[in-house]
Amino acid sequence: MARQRRADEPADASPGRLIAIAVVLIGLVLVSLRLLPGSPFESRAAATWGAPADPAGRGTDTPSDRSSRPSPTPSPTPEPLPFQAKEIDLGIEGWYSWSVLDRRNGEIIGSDNMDETSTTASLIKAWVVADYLRRADDAGQTPSDARLADATKIIRDSDNTRAEQFYNTVGRSASIKRLISLCELTDSKVAADGGWSRTALSPRDTARMGACIADGRAAGPKWTKWLIDEMRLVRGGGDFGIRKAFPAAERKTIAIKNGWIDRTREQEMHINCLAIGDTWTMGVMVRYPIGKGYEYGMKNCQKITEALLRPTT
């Protein structure tokens, strides 16, 4: 006969329910022990509760982490330019100045007077042709074969008649103003008479103009290689100066444009040299009494360059 539950006996006091309650209580005890510092059941969260985040959590390396990482490979030291900055006294009569620009970083070295100007004569023709080619491409035009042949004569042979025609096409003194702006020149200015021959350029700005041609600003991306190749092929009377100071095997890799003129008004010879190498550009200018002739200045452009070249080992 089933036992009747007393009125004061809990309704859930069956054995099954008692076991369930015991399990819950044991679980609560275990959880409490995990949260109690020093307990063998202590959890990692409890042990570090309130402590600073571990190194991994802070996003920093432990000493062992740092030591296990390979050291970064240092960047190789770039090859020095073939020139060295130094004072030179070559016993040259008259005025002379030089400047070299490192095409890799834009650094410039030069003589103390590298910011002084002289008239460019034919040296400026490299810019006139570059300006013509860039503007034609900007306008969506391709110069005819005949015009390109004219440009070749201007660069390789320094043809004055064709240079004047191109100078008129590019707006005369407006072209020189573009040169100063586009190539970021600081010393130079348009000639008082507006002509290309009397453009005033410094050796420092000559080197900058060379960099402007080399990096594509002057002639634009389409025509820069063409122009540099033409400047490497300068021939005849215009092939003198800077690149002549280099071994014969290197000369063909150096682009040049030179200028030479007798200024009867000033009774002076003005001889100017621009050269573009793989990692550098250079400008050299000399000015001296007119009676000494062209050869004196042409040889001195080379002599100045030779004095600045690093010794070969």
Side-chain angles (χ1 to χ4, degrees):
M1 182 175 190
R3 183 178 67 88
Q4 290 186 339
R5 177 173 59 87
R6 299 199 327 254
D8 60 346
E9 183 179 356
D12 57 353
S14 65
R17 291 182 181 275
L18 291 174
I19 293 173
I21 292 171
V23 170
V24 170
L25 290 174
I26 292 171
L28 291 173
V29 170
L30 290 175
V31 169
S32 300
L33 289 174
R34 282 173 57 81
L35 295 176
L36 182 65
S39 166
F41 301 100
E42 180 183 358
S43 72
R44 178 172 177 80
T48 59
W49 199 11
D54 62 24
R58 290 195 300 268
T60 58
D61 296 334
T62 64
S64 59
D65 290 333
R66 290 194 294 270
S67 62
S68 65
R69 287 188 176 185
S71 299
T73 303
S75 301
T77 303
E79 288 291 323
L81 294 182
F83 308 96
Q84 50 192 337
K86 64 178 183 179
E87 293 185 10
I88 54 175
D89 185 2
L90 305 176
I92 297 173
E93 187 174 346
W95 173 92
Y96 62 93
S97 179
W98 64 273
S99 183
V100 173
L101 182 147
D102 189 332
R103 289 176 53 192
R104 299 166 297 184
N105 55 28
E107 292 183 0
I108 297 175
I109 60 173
S111 55
D112 290 342
N113 59 350
M114 65 179 174
D115 60 340
E116 296 180 14
T117 63
S118 192
T119 66
T120 62
S122 294
L123 181 147
I124 201 66
K125 292 173 183 174
W127 164 259
V128 173
V129 170
D131 196 31
Y132 168 79
L133 293 171
R134 186 194 70 260
R135 286 165 58 80
D137 189 48
D138 288 347
Q141 302 169 354
T142 300
S144 65
D145 290 343
R147 290 296 268 173
L148 288 177
D150 286 342
T152 290
K153 293 287 288 182
I154 294 170
I155 298 299
R156 296 191 196 181
D157 302 314
S158 208
D159 186 288
N160 287 335
T161 301
R162 290 176 172 85
E164 185 69 19
Q165 292 169 354
F166 270 56
Y167 192 58
N168 288 332
T169 299
V170 295
R172 298 186 68 79
S173 60
S175 177
I176 306 304
K177 291 177 182 177
R178 284 193 294 273
L179 162 65
I180 293 170
S181 174
L182 184 64
C183 298
E184 300 179 359
L185 309 188
T186 59
D187 314 317
S188 305
K189 59 185 178 181
V190 175
D193 63 4
W196 52 265
S197 178
R198 282 191 173 270
T199 300
L201 227 62
S202 67
R204 178 167 64 182
D205 279 353
T206 298
R208 287 170 172 157
M209 187 180 84
C212 191
I213 292 172
D215 66 22
R217 285 175 289 162
K222 182 176 181 179
W223 292 104
T224 293
K225 183 180 183 303
W226 183 92
L227 178 57
I228 293 290
D229 287 344
E230 290 298 310
M231 293 173 68
R232 289 183 176 131
L233 296 173
V234 169
R235 58 199 173 190
D239 185 10
F240 64 87
I242 296 170
R243 76 176 174 190
K244 292 289 188 180
F246 287 80
E250 293 183 44
R251 293 175 193 170
K252 62 183 180 181
T253 69
I254 299 173
I256 65 169
K257 191 70 190 89
N258 297 321
W260 62 103
I261 193 168
D262 52 338
R263 297 291 186 199
T264 55
R265 185 195 311 171
E266 294 90 348
Q267 285 296 291
E268 291 176 337
M269 300 295 298
H270 291 194
I271 310 294
N272 312 298
C273 299
L274 163 66
I276 301 172
D278 289 340
T279 58
W280 54 269
T281 63
M282 185 176 192
V284 179
M285 292 181 155
V286 296
R287 201 167 57 227
Y288 53 91
I290 197 169
K292 300 190 77 65
Y294 291 112
E295 289 292 329
Y296 183 77
M298 292 173 174
K299 289 180 178 178
N300 280 325
C301 250
Q302 178 178 340
K303 186 178 179 180
I304 291 167
T305 307
E306 289 171 343
L308 296 167
L309 287 177
R310 294 182 183 276
T312 56
T313 55

